[in-house]
Amino acid sequence: MRVIARKTLREFWARHAEAERPLHAWFREAEGAEWQGPADVKARYSSASFLGGNRVVFNIKGNRYRLVVRIDYAFHLVFIRFIGTHADYDRIEAGEA
């Protein structure tokens, strides 16, 4: 998968240093993945939540942070839509992120 945009993750972990390792690990795994559909994501990330519009919510660092992405399975693209603390996530409409 091609992850767009890594810069968003780097900017976040610059402000939240403890998130760097788990986000970097997620990024490496996502780049190496060949997800064909939600079942492939769920097989690797059992705690992932699925929203409409091919959006997926990943729990990062024991659910301290939330990462929302939109996946285009046909073109093997993952778009970072939101990264924030659990409290930040509670304030957004994740289905629209």
Side-chain angles (χ1 to χ4, degrees), residues 58-91:
F58 293 95
N59 298 321
I60 305 293
K61 192 167 174 36
N63 205 21
R64 185 169 198 159
Y65 303 104
R66 293 278 180 96
L67 172 63
V68 180
V69 304
R70 186 178 65 78
I71 302 176
D72 185 324
Y73 297 102
F75 290 99
H76 302 280
L77 296 171
V78 177
F79 299 92
I80 305 294
R81 303 297 297 153
F82 169 85
I83 178 68
T85 65
H86 198 268
D88 293 336
Y89 175 82
D90 288 343
R91 289 190 292 270

Side-chain angles (χ1 to χ4, degrees), residues 35 37-58 69 71 73 89 94-95:
W35 297 324
D40 293 336
V41 176
K42 195 66 166 176
R44 172 59 189 98
Y45 295 97
S46 61
S47 65
S49 301
F50 296 87
L51 308 172
N54 286 328
R55 285 176 172 76
V56 183
V57 181
F58 293 95
V69 304
I71 302 176
Y73 297 102
Y89 175 82

